[in-house]
Each structure stands twice: as C-alpha cells, then as structure tokens.
Amino acid sequence: MMRQTQTQAVQTMTTQRVLRALIILESPDAAYQLVTCHSDVVRLRSQTKQQEYLLLVKRQRLVVTTMQSGQIVLLNQVKQAKFQRLSDRRIGITIFCTTGQKVYEEVSLY
C-alpha cells in the first residue's frame, strides 16, 4: 500500500510539473497560433512578436525554440513527446518522462 501511495504521489508531482510547464503555451501574452503539428514537432507563430517557434524535445528537454536561435526550456527529464492536432487551437501532448511516467495533457492556444 505504501508503494502504491508513493507511486501515486510521484505521478501527481509529475503531472503538476507538466501542467506548470505547458501553461506558458496557453499564455495570452505570447498569443501562440498553431501553424503545423507533426507527431514529433509543433510549429507555432507568436501573434505578438511576429516570430515562428518550434515545440520539440531536445536533449531530454521539452523546449520552445526560435527558428534562428535561442530556446525556452519548459520541462526537463523528457524522454519523448508526441503531439496531436485536435483543432486549429488545441493540441494533445503525450510526454514520456525519463523516470518512466507518461502524462497526457491538452493545450489550448490563443
């Protein structure tokens, strides 16, 4: 029973970390617009900065990177992420952590 409780606590902490990381994508300040969505990369455009970005896993991190250079690390300890276009403003993200946890979240873009 203690192992089950510990496993649930770790899963809850992982889910909370993912939610905190993905809230950046939903920010009205960035105003990201979905351009394309493939299983391993999402292309976004910021309506406020007139710049394009890629959302992908790079060196075990989920990052938002510009087409030129620079990146924002959203989440560490990521083995893989799979993206799915749900609509013009929604994407589903399945994150496989290096710790073995798997988290699915849906993100709404503005």
Side-chain angles (χ1 to χ4, degrees), residues 45-110:
R45 179 177 297 120
S46 172
Q47 297 175 49
T48 57
K49 297 182 181 179
Q50 303 303 317
Q51 189 167 356
E52 290 202 357
Y53 299 88
L54 297 176
L55 173 64
L56 55 99
V57 175
K58 194 180 209 181
R59 294 187 202 116
Q60 295 190 339
R61 297 179 184 148
L62 182 65
V63 299
V64 175
T65 181
T66 63
M67 302 297 267
Q68 294 80 20
S69 65
Q71 66 183 13
I72 300 168
V73 177
L74 299 180
L75 192 62
N76 291 308
Q77 298 178 332
V78 176
K79 183 177 181 180
Q80 181 184 15
K82 291 190 177 187
F83 307 104
Q84 178 184 11
R85 184 181 197 134
L86 303 175
S87 71
D88 287 344
R89 293 181 165 207
R90 292 181 58 78
I91 55 174
I93 304 174
T94 304
I95 297 173
F96 300 88
C97 300
T98 57
T99 55
Q101 280 88 20
K102 173 181 157 184
V103 179
Y104 174 81
E105 290 298 328
E106 294 182 5
V107 175
S108 298
L109 304 170
Y110 285 88

Side-chain angles (χ1 to χ4, degrees), residues 12-24:
T12 300
M13 287 176 21
T14 302
T15 302
Q16 289 173 345
R17 278 186 346 154
V18 169
L19 289 172
R20 282 193 302 269
L22 297 180
I23 204 156
I24 292 171

Side-chain angles (χ1 to χ4, degrees), residues 30-46:
Y32 289 120
Q33 181 179 36
L34 183 59
V35 178
T36 59
C37 181
H38 300 282
S39 64
D40 61 341
V41 64
V42 175
R43 194 163 151 196
L44 303 166
R45 179 177 297 120
S46 172

